[in-house]
Amino acid sequence: MMVCSENKDVFSAVVRSNKKIGQRFYRLGLEFSGDCAEPFGKARPGQFAELDLCGTALPRGEAIPEDLCDMAERNILLRRPFSFCDVTVKGDKTVVDILYDVVGPATLRMTTLSAGDSISIIGPLGNGFAMPSGKETALLVAGGMGAGPLLHLAKVLTADYPNIKVVAFAGAKTATTLPFEKRLDEVSEVLGFPLAEFAGYGIESLVATDDGSAGYKGFVTDCLLEWLGRCGLAAKDMIIYSCGPEKMLAKVAEIAQEKNIDCQISMERMMACGIGICQSCAVECKVAGSNETVYKLCCKDGPVFNSNEIVFSN
Amino acid sequence: MMVCSENKDVFSAVVRSNKKIGQRFYRLGLEFSGDCAEPFGKARPGQFAELDLCGTALPRGEAIPEDLCDMAERNILLRRPFSFCDVTVKGDKTVVDILYDVVGPATLRMTTLSAGDSISIIGPLGNGFAMPSGKETALLVAGGMGAGPLLHLAKVLTADYPNIKVVAFAGAKTATTLPFEKRLDEVSEVLGFPLAEFAGYGIESLVATDDGSAGYKGFVTDCLLEWLGRCGLAAKDMIIYSCGPEKMLAKVAEIAQEKNIDCQISMERMMACGIGICQSCAVECKVAGSNETVYKLCCKDGPVFNSNEIVFSN
Amino acid sequence: MKDNVDISVDFAGVKLANPVFTASGTSGYADELADFVDINLLGGFITKSITLKPRKGNAPPRIVETDAGMLNAIGLANIGLDKFIKEKLPILERMTTAVFVNVAGETIDEYVAVVERLATERVIAGFELNISCPNVAKGGISFGTEPGQVSEITSAVKKAVGEKILIVKLTPTVTDISVIANAAVEAGADALSMVNTFTAMVIDIETRKPVLANRTGGLSGPAIKPIAAYLVNKVYNEVAKKNRIPILGGGGIRTASDAIEFIIAGASAVAVGTANFIEPDCTTKIIEGIKKYCVRKETNIKELIGSLGK
Amino acid sequence: MKDNVDISVDFAGVKLANPVFTASGTSGYADELADFVDINLLGGFITKSITLKPRKGNAPPRIVETDAGMLNAIGLANIGLDKFIKEKLPILERMTTAVFVNVAGETIDEYVAVVERLATERVIAGFELNISCPNVAKGGISFGTEPGQVSEITSAVKKAVGEKILIVKLTPTVTDISVIANAAVEAGADALSMVNTFTAMVIDIETRKPVLANRTGGLSGPAIKPIAAYLVNKVYNEVAKKNRIPILGGGGIRTASDAIEFIIAGASAVAVGTANFIEPDCTTKIIEGIKKYCVRKETNIKELIGSLGK
Ligand SMILES: Cc1cc2nc3c(=O)[nH]c(=O)nc-3n(C[C@H](O)[C@H](O)[C@H](O)COP(=O)(O)OP(=O)(O)OC[C@H]3O[C@@H](n4cnc5c(N)ncnc54)[C@H](O)[C@@H]3O)c2cc1C
Ligand SMILES: Cc1cc2nc3c(=O)[nH]c(=O)nc-3n(C[C@H](O)[C@H](O)[C@H](O)COP(=O)(O)OP(=O)(O)OC[C@H]3O[C@@H](n4cnc5c(N)ncnc54)[C@H](O)[C@@H]3O)c2cc1C
Ligand SMILES: Cc1cc2nc3c(=O)[nH]c(=O)nc-3n(C[C@H](O)[C@H](O)[C@H](O)COP(=O)(O)O)c2cc1C
Ligand SMILES: Cc1cc2nc3c(=O)[nH]c(=O)nc-3n(C[C@H](O)[C@H](O)[C@H](O)COP(=O)(O)O)c2cc1C
Ligand code: FES
Ligand code: FES
């Protein structure tokens, strides 16, 4: 292992836990010790890492959801990017948690990791969320798996910016696909703290599901819009942080633009390298004061961008 | 699962054990139940099965011997053939043991199988050793991993042909690469039963190592030749069964030919299918009464052949 | 989900129960694979290449595994026409699946001789002309890389096939496969089969020799799938569509999703090769998977063929 | 084991500390990869393709993974010659490794213009002519499939390179790569680089569209290795050896064993591409592995090159 600029490198982590927390959601706990502990201990919300899952076992036949059976046949080659939902420094060790969704061959393999396994990881990579200097309220808007980095952000915000009020919005198709470990309970829902993970940081939350099976019925962006309509806060005192599917991010960006609220979003792209050498992760960005656009790299210039920079594809 | 002619098919087995028994040798125990138990319960010595190891995890970095590191990078695609070293029917279950050597990407993966894992297996395939009708003495000549099917044969011979005397010869480069679980002890060595696995069937054995670190110093074929020289038995009353590297088999075949002893050998070829549909496993065979040769299929016509049929490639 | 959804296709006039074939050389002459799959469930069955005289094939090792693929250099080992007629035709005659005989040879006359002898056999739906085998010293691929040669052999064989359909099997290792496809179509091919394997080599660094006795072999398996899918789409767009010539597409197909990719790219039917070695009953699963996809997406095979969007 | 074994090679007159390069487009302009590897340990470094004007490249998605490979359609995104000279040359100047600039363009004049501007830069050891990029509408691969074109562009650029060496990078997707290699050599190529990627396609069966915005992309990675090794051996035997032209071989190299395969096949040096994405420091391991192999087998690079036995 080399000592590198910016502390990013190829590291080895040990799996501490890998827990199924929903239909197809898991939470993976990785422990870093020795030289690896420090760089990851300093990882900022929104940064990510590239995991090598090539040598990891596939789940056995029956354990593969039918819609992923064909995909499961593909031998994987490239690493996969994941952000962190929690980073904890414990003495000379750092524990990093990743919330993930099982969508294809790599994430299927990821489910068979078990405590004690070691795994190769490159990170921490990219730029995290900018901190909310001069703001009074931070709104975290998560779509599906996007909750991961926003949980990490929630922890850092509440620890480092105790005077800022944080409100979390979490959207999903339906109640069972909300990627949270702790189930909603009615009392906390009534009190405005339905998501235990955010409540743990003292953060109130709003849940939206497309089918209304939990919380607000509709898109999380509609829920946000409604909330903004009634909150009575000044746009300049707020900041939105968002992570989720690109369609949702586009809507969040539109809302932020209309209401003139600062907004940071975390983008996703297929990434071959994650370290800025392949140019695969192009994100089309506006050039200030011109009609032209440039491609920035999601892995190096992002994954977090100012929402007003991005040209969303349709 | 279909019911098929000759009972061979794609089956699912459950791993019962996977034990390291030497430097790079392991013994894998597979359990078959339900429909799979019967066909495998009837498996004859010398038959084999094709294991699908694609989804099995690679050992972690440090657990891969240095000389196999590069090979380990290759994603495997094809199944791998293995013969059985033991087959035991227990009620409605069948347990099949495989003795294997870690030589490349598939066998590396095999080492990470653990109790409870299920694995896809096609078998039993090919033709086993012919039984020694009318013989008085059966000589089992094993080179390295070739001991596997000969152990299975030893069990069947001693059970079904109690009047036949069986003598086992086992060769290896050096003592530590003898693929036997139970260590040699001096007393049994003096008594002529150094290999506990064979001794368990009441079979005497001779060990040969290239460096003399155990038993006879030299090739197992030289050990055999010496034994034949002093045994005083009639060629027509003996039969040789052999399995091991092709160079050794060629030597065994030569000895059998010279001394006019019936001899059956188990051949190995790279196999893409194991079931006779790809023609990859060609074994050059003499055509009786002609100078011509034909290619027979190791998987279907073999893997056991009469030694006098084979044209060995130098 | 109704499982009896219709996924039959018209392949150059031959009605197939479904678009799934086993590829030549990867399923023997039917009897071998029959232990694992009900061959009659297949849309089509293609024999191992048949030549006029029996061929021993190449010395072993004949195969070697590569990343997500394998090389083979079987060398067209086959029992020859006479023995095929005597021993294998009777087995094939019992099958209800459309049977295609893959034909190879060292000279055009040899191809023609084989086809002439078989052209009147009732059980045979058509012939697949192997002008793309990379593993023989004479014939094989040498017929398939030059448009003039392709044209010559195709028209010669076309005269011999009679009522049967003629599928020409193309090699992917040419600068512009559409030129070759076009030559075949203009000379009378009723369908195109693509792709055959890619010439390749694996070297044993311990001995510093090629692993295969034949030195080179043909690469098949999932490794080649994205190249094959591209080539099928290219030939569909540039040649097959306007000439209404169906394509039998393949190269690395393991799953229904793979098969559907080829169909969307422009294949009317698909050939499954290497995957049979790993899961001998994979074709059955692929057929079921295509049905499920059609039901789920409320589509049908006809609409799917060549439906790749902008 | 002595680790300071000499594995240096003479590559068309350029002395390389070892035969391991990073391939164009897979290691940026050096600064990016420098976080993970000491670039100065490499035998050679090749820049991402440079064009006269900056290029935005293609819309995303630009890559998709395949079995043991990946497709890319970056579309020669690069900062353009001016910015390269201003921002990147100073970084490259600090390197002790042999630096090669990969050049692309839409017209021959563009290629020549880039080379002319850089031909006198001290830090540059030579140029790699990319006439094999499958991911651009104009230029790229269109120069590389026809011997006449290859000859024309090679001689035009050769006039501009001055003292520097000219490597011509070949596409594998031609009927006979030796014909192309020969055209390049006769027109003045000092070395050949092979292979570039294979045109390929992945289709999303849910949307029925190609996954890549560019529709097609170039297949790289272990999947193509056996084809690339074969082609290197073919060109070595048919063109390079007798003309004493070194080959920079690659395609799917991940390990020292892979690299050694290419060297035995006939490559004087090897280029590692896709593998950098997975293990950014794999080149260091490959260099060490080649040394160990030479010690263990009591051989040396010179003796190894093109030593494939019968
Ligand atoms: C910076 C960054 C951070 C990320 N953080 C996380 C994280 O914290 N948790 C997490 O679960 N994922 C995260 N992702 C996404 C994650 O990398 C992919 O889900 C993963 O690579 C999929 O690998 P696979 O082999 O399982 O599926 P693939 O074969 O790569 O994809 C399978 C199918 O799913 C689609 N797909 C790919 N990504 C997604 C996605 N995110 N959601 C839905 N469908 C998808 C593909 O188009 C394909 O059709 C992040 C991605 C980026 C770029
Ligand atoms: C009918 C039959 C029965 C077999 N029974 C057994 C058995 O009971 N136990 C067992 O351990 N093996 C057995 N084998 C051999 C076994 O199939 C191979 O060792 C296995 O396929 C290697 O797979 P791999 O991916 O680990 O290595 P590969 O990548 O396939 O091979 C790695 C390297 O080892 C070489 N190699 C391949 N096979 C052997 C071998 N047998 N010995 C030494 N080097 C080899 C290859 O040429 C290559 O260089 C049998 C083979 C056949 C054909
Ligand atoms: C072992 C083997 C033998 C083959 N034999 C033949 C043959 O005899 N005739 C032929 O036209 N193609 C032959 N092929 C090519 C296949 O029919 C098919 O075109 C190719 O393998 C690509 O498909 P796949 O990737 O699904 O295997 C053979 C392929 C393999 C792997
Ligand atoms: C993401 C990516 C970008 C590439 N860009 C270029 C390029 O700009 N110019 C070029 O000549 N080759 C380019 N290539 C081709 C590589 O240099 C190399 O020839 C090819 O990838 C095969 O090697 P590999 O299998 O080791 O990757 C690129 C390859 C990849 C994967
Ligand atoms: S993923 Fe390679 S540059 Fe961003
Ligand atoms: S391994 Fe396929 S025929 Fe024997």
Side-chain angles (χ1 to χ4, degrees), chain A residues 2 4-5 8-9 52 74-75 77-80 122 270-273 275-280 282 293 295 300, chain D residues 25-28 32-33 35-36 56-60 62-63 65 67 69 74 77 211 254 277-280:
Chain A
M2 298 168 309
C4 292
S5 59
K8 64 174 183 258
D9 204 349
D52 183 351
R74 197 171 87 228
N75 275 324
L77 176 71
L78 301 168
R79 288 173 182 263
R80 293 296 195 274
I122 300 182
M270 301 224 206
M271 291 183 173
C273 75
I275 57 171
I277 60 176
C278 76
Q279 309 236 28
S280 63
T293 63
Y295 285 120
K300 218 182 136 186
Chain D
T26 65
S27 43
E32 302 89 345
L33 192 59
D35 288 340
F36 296 89
K56 280 176 69 174
N58 295 324
R62 289 177 171 184
I63 62 143
E65 192 187 58
D67 263 280
I74 308 299
V211 171
R254 295 187 67 171
F277 305 155
I278 302 145
E279 292 300 334

Side-chain angles (χ1 to χ4, degrees), chain B residues 2 4-5 8-10 52 73-80 120 122 125 269-273 275-280 282 284 293-295 300, chain C residues 25-28 32-33 35-37 48 56-63 65-70 74 77 211 222 254 274 276-280:
Chain B
M2 301 167 306
C4 293
S5 58
K8 63 175 182 259
D9 204 349
V10 185
D52 182 353
E73 302 270 341
R74 196 172 87 227
N75 274 324
I76 61 170
L77 176 70
L78 301 169
R79 288 172 181 264
R80 293 295 195 275
S120 165
I122 300 182
L125 298 167
R269 282 292 176 270
M270 302 226 207
M271 291 182 174
C273 76
I275 58 171
I277 60 175
C278 76
Q279 309 236 28
S280 63
E284 192 170 11
T293 63
V294 291
Y295 285 121
K300 218 182 135 185
Chain C
T26 64
S27 43
E32 301 89 344
L33 192 59
D35 288 342
F36 297 89
V37 183
K48 169 91 195 143
K56 279 176 70 175
N58 295 324
R62 290 178 171 183
I63 62 144
E65 193 187 57
T66 67
D67 264 279
M70 60 174 279
I74 308 299
V211 171
R254 294 188 68 171
T274 304
N276 293 305
F277 305 156
I278 302 145
E279 293 300 333

Side-chain angles (χ1 to χ4, degrees), chain B residues 173-246:
Chain B
K173 288 224 172 80
T174 179
T176 53
T177 60
L178 273 166
F180 295 94
E181 191 167 359
K182 314 268 167 51
R183 305 293 317 155
L184 317 171
D185 76 50
E186 278 173 37
V187 180
S188 52
E189 189 147 2
V190 170
L191 293 174
F193 295 86
L195 297 172
E197 277 89 343
F198 284 109
Y201 302 126
I203 293 176
E204 64 181 89
S205 50
L206 288 92
V207 169
T209 51
D210 296 3
D211 62 1
S213 54
Y216 179 94
K217 180 175 187 292
F219 294 139
V220 66
T221 43
D222 294 328
C223 177
L224 169 70
L225 211 50
E226 227 182 81
W227 188 93
L228 286 172
R230 66 173 192 256
C231 72
L233 300 172
K236 69 164 179 36
D237 297 332
M238 290 191 280
I239 179 164
I240 297 174
Y241 296 100
S242 187
C243 185
E246 191 154 338

Side-chain angles (χ1 to χ4, degrees), chain B:
Chain B
M1 223 160 287
M2 301 167 306
V3 180
C4 293
S5 58
E6 293 185 52
N7 280 325
K8 63 175 182 259
D9 204 349
V10 185
F11 292 115
S12 177
V14 175
V15 174
R16 274 172 55 117
S17 57
N18 191 17
K19 206 167 144 194
K20 188 167 182 171
I21 59 170
Q23 266 192 330
R24 292 204 189 167
F25 302 110
Y26 287 72
R27 187 172 175 133
L28 178 71
L30 297 174
E31 184 175 277
F32 296 84
S33 46
D35 289 352
C36 324
E38 210 197 315
F40 276 91
K42 291 181 183 161
R44 281 157 294 133
Q47 285 194 293
F48 68 100
E50 287 273 0
L51 272 64
D52 182 353
L53 295 156
C54 289
T56 305
L58 263 185
R60 305 289 146 187
E62 324 76 57
I64 301 179
E66 202 191 318
D67 58 321
L68 299 184
C69 276
D70 285 6
M71 273 191 218
E73 302 270 341
R74 196 172 87 227
N75 274 324
I76 61 170
L77 176 70
L78 301 169
R79 288 172 181 264
R80 293 295 195 275
F82 294 91
S83 2
F84 319 129
C85 69
D86 193 21
V87 173
T88 316
V89 178
K90 291 186 183 161
D92 55 358
K93 304 205 155 149
T94 300
V95 175
V96 169
D97 281 15
I98 289 171
L99 213 57
Y100 68 96
D101 192 2
V102 181
V103 299
T107 45
L108 267 172
R109 283 165 196 269
M110 213 158 155
T111 63
T112 70
L113 287 171
S114 62
D117 287 348
S118 65
I119 183 167
S120 165
I121 185 164
I122 300 182
L125 298 167
N127 301 309
F129 292 104
M131 288 300 113
S133 57
K135 301 291 178 187
E136 286 170 10
T137 309
L139 308 177
L140 316 186
V141 185
M145 256 6 276
L150 295 180
L151 275 172
H152 185 197
L153 179 63
K155 184 185 189 180
V156 171
L157 285 182
T158 48
D160 297 353
Y161 299 81
N163 296 328
I164 292 182
K165 178 186 165 78
V166 183
V167 182
F169 298 78
K173 288 224 172 80
T174 179
T176 53
T177 60
L178 273 166
F180 295 94
E181 191 167 359
K182 314 268 167 51
R183 305 293 317 155
L184 317 171
D185 76 50
E186 278 173 37
V187 180
S188 52
E189 189 147 2
V190 170
L191 293 174
F193 295 86
L195 297 172
E197 277 89 343
F198 284 109
Y201 302 126
I203 293 176
E204 64 181 89
S205 50
L206 288 92
V207 169
T209 51
D210 296 3
D211 62 1
S213 54
Y216 179 94
K217 180 175 187 292
F219 294 139
V220 66
T221 43
D222 294 328
C223 177
L224 169 70
L225 211 50
E226 227 182 81
W227 188 93
L228 286 172
R230 66 173 192 256
C231 72
L233 300 172
K236 69 164 179 36
D237 297 332
M238 290 191 280
I239 179 164
I240 297 174
Y241 296 100
S242 187
C243 185
E246 191 154 338
K247 279 226 165 72
M248 182 204 90
L249 294 180
K251 186 72 196 167
V252 171
E254 193 186 306
I255 294 171
Q257 172 113 25
E258 271 170 17
K259 307 235 171 230
N260 216 2
I261 305 174
D262 279 355
C263 177
Q264 302 228 321
I265 58 179
S266 178
M267 299 286 290
E268 281 190 14
R269 282 292 176 270
M270 302 226 207
M271 291 182 174
C273 76
I275 58 171
I277 60 175
C278 76
Q279 309 236 28
S280 63
C281 58
V283 174
E284 192 170 11
C285 288
K286 294 170 196 154
V287 177
S290 117
N291 273 335
E292 280 183 27
T293 63
V294 291
Y295 285 121
K296 290 193 176 179
L297 299 181
C298 188
C299 70
K300 218 182 135 185
D301 305 316
V304 176
F305 294 86
N306 283 324
S307 70
N308 55 18
E309 259 190 295
I310 306 296
V311 183
F312 293 97
S313 49
N314 50 62

Side-chain angles (χ1 to χ4, degrees), chain B residues 278, chain C residues 23-26 47-49 63 70 72 74 76 102 128 130 132 169 195-197 219-222 224 250-253 271-275 277:
Chain B
C278 76
Chain C
S24 177
T26 64
T47 67
K48 169 91 195 143
S49 281
I63 62 144
M70 60 174 279
N72 88 77
I74 308 299
L76 299 181
N102 181 297
E128 187 182 50
N130 181 0
S132 42
K169 186 165 182 180
V195 298
N196 212 321
T197 55
L219 178 64
S220 65
I224 68 169
I253 295 177
V272 180
T274 304
F277 305 156

